[in-house]
Amino acid sequence: IDFFTREKLEGMRSFMKLYSDTLSKTYGQWRVSSIQAAVSLGRGTYCARQLRILARAYITERKVLPINPYGRWSTTMLTDEDLLNEINLYLQELGNKITAEKLVSYLARPNVMERHSIDKTISVRTARRYLNILNYRFGEAKKGQYKDGHERPDVVQDRDTRFIPQMQQLLLRAQMFDRSGLPLPPPSSEGKLVIVWYHDESIFYAHDWRRKTWYPKDAPAQLHSKGEGISFMIADYVSAQFGWLVSPDGLERAR
């Protein structure tokens, strides 16, 4: 069966399942069940209304009406299975650089138009609709954990057995402050007062760019390296007592 017939049947099946299943939260609610089914297809109220028409017709006459539940156009190029497969391959080649404009340009190529008997180009809006139908969603890629080594076993062991205990001992002799920034009573531990200077940094990357594009709806999360391209770090030191680290005359800074 063609693409839209399959999608119609799946939408109708989902709709009737939501309506008739006693375990469904929308059991017995005709309109609400249709909306839920439309949402599961990535569509809206128009699709829900068409699903209700299709379901009534099937219940009454046991046949599926030739209705496209995804919009008001009569035909779509995506019913051509060969073109559909070709578009999917093209989108896979683009990877995370998919845009509606690129799909428009691809379908406007003379060889593609000739091969699939396309007589006119599509608009950007239509390309976005096609991407939605093909289960692509515009947004940021799902993120896995960063591969920065912070949770390596040797790093965790050093943090827990050396760094944290040592910092706890030093903080016993450091001036502490409450949540309002007011100093607490001086530390009672013997020894010199410890001044803690914290290292603060910001890193900028040469290849910082927007991360929103069209991704497959069910695309898995990917591991991302921490940063892209050459990095530029701006670092400084700060203390609760003295602020940013500067020279005694205030003319030179650690940054």
Side-chain angles (χ1 to χ4, degrees):
I1 60 176
D2 63 68
F3 178 81
F4 276 109
T5 300
R6 183 172 66 250
E7 290 294 297
K8 282 191 294 187
L9 292 174
E10 289 178 356
M12 292 169 61
R13 177 181 177 277
S14 176
F15 169 32
M16 297 310 299
K17 178 71 173 176
L18 289 167
Y19 176 73
S20 60
D21 192 336
T22 55
L23 298 178
S24 170
K25 292 184 178 180
T26 60
Y27 170 68
Q29 303 178 62
W30 182 258
R31 185 174 182 277
V32 177
S33 295
S34 69
I35 293 175
Q36 283 294 101
V39 170
S40 70
L41 296 173
R43 311 305 296 179
T45 55
Y46 179 82
C47 177
R49 186 162 59 250
Q50 298 306 307
L51 289 176
R52 293 196 295 272
I53 294 173
L54 288 165
R56 286 195 185 97
Y58 183 77
I59 292 171
T60 304
E61 304 177 14
R62 286 295 188 270
K63 68 178 183 180
V64 179
L65 297 177
I67 293 177
N68 176 0
Y70 295 100
R72 295 176 173 82
W73 65 95
S74 57
T75 60
T76 172
M77 288 187 284
L78 296 183
T79 56
D80 183 341
E81 292 285 348
D82 292 334
L83 177 59
L84 181 63
N85 292 333
E86 194 171 313
I87 289 174
N88 279 323
L89 288 174
Y90 172 68
L91 295 176
Q92 290 175 17
E93 292 175 1
L94 290 178
N96 61 356
K97 298 180 180 178
I98 297 173
T99 65
E101 290 78 5
K102 288 182 180 179
L103 181 56
V104 171
S105 298
Y106 177 76
L107 293 175
R109 293 179 182 178
N111 60 328
V112 175
M113 297 183 73
E114 181 181 357
R115 186 162 56 248
H116 298 284
S117 302
I118 300 173
D119 56 4
K120 62 180 181 179
T121 60
I122 63 172
S123 66
V124 172
R125 184 175 180 180
T126 298
R128 293 187 186 124
R129 190 162 58 232
Y130 283 3
L131 288 168
N132 273 308
I133 292 173
L134 294 172
N135 283 326
Y136 284 83
R137 298 294 181 266
F138 186 77
E140 294 188 6
K142 299 176 183 178
K143 296 179 180 178
Q145 294 180 338
Y146 282 109
K147 300 181 293 184
D148 56 10
H150 287 172
E151 298 302 323
R152 288 204 324 257
D154 58 327
V155 175
V156 172
Q157 181 181 8
D158 182 74
R159 179 192 66 198
D160 294 343
T161 61
R162 185 191 64 82
F163 176 75
I164 292 179
Q166 186 174 341
M167 280 299 300
Q168 289 174 334
Q169 290 299 317
L170 290 173
L171 290 177
L172 292 176
R173 294 158 44 200
Q175 177 65 61
M176 305 301 289
F177 298 82
D178 62 19
R179 292 181 178 273
S180 301
L182 299 175
L184 295 173
S188 57
S189 300
E190 297 181 358
K192 293 183 178 180
L193 181 68
V194 173
I195 305 297
V196 180
W197 288 93
Y198 293 97
H199 180 242
D200 180 76
E201 68 178 36
S202 295
I203 304 177
F204 301 90
Y205 297 94
H207 299 159
D208 277 343
W209 58 351
R210 72 171 189 176
R211 298 185 182 275
K212 284 191 174 182
T213 186
W214 291 89
Y215 295 96
K217 182 175 66 174
D218 300 322
Q222 300 177 355
L223 290 174
H224 293 270
S225 297
K226 197 171 185 179
E228 295 183 359
I230 299 174
S231 62
F232 178 72
M233 178 189 293
I234 297 178
D236 209 335
Y237 291 88
V238 63
S239 165
Q241 289 99 317
F242 302 104
W244 298 107
L245 182 59
V246 297
S247 61
D249 57 10
L251 298 178
E252 296 182 77
R253 303 193 60 173
R255 181 180 301 178

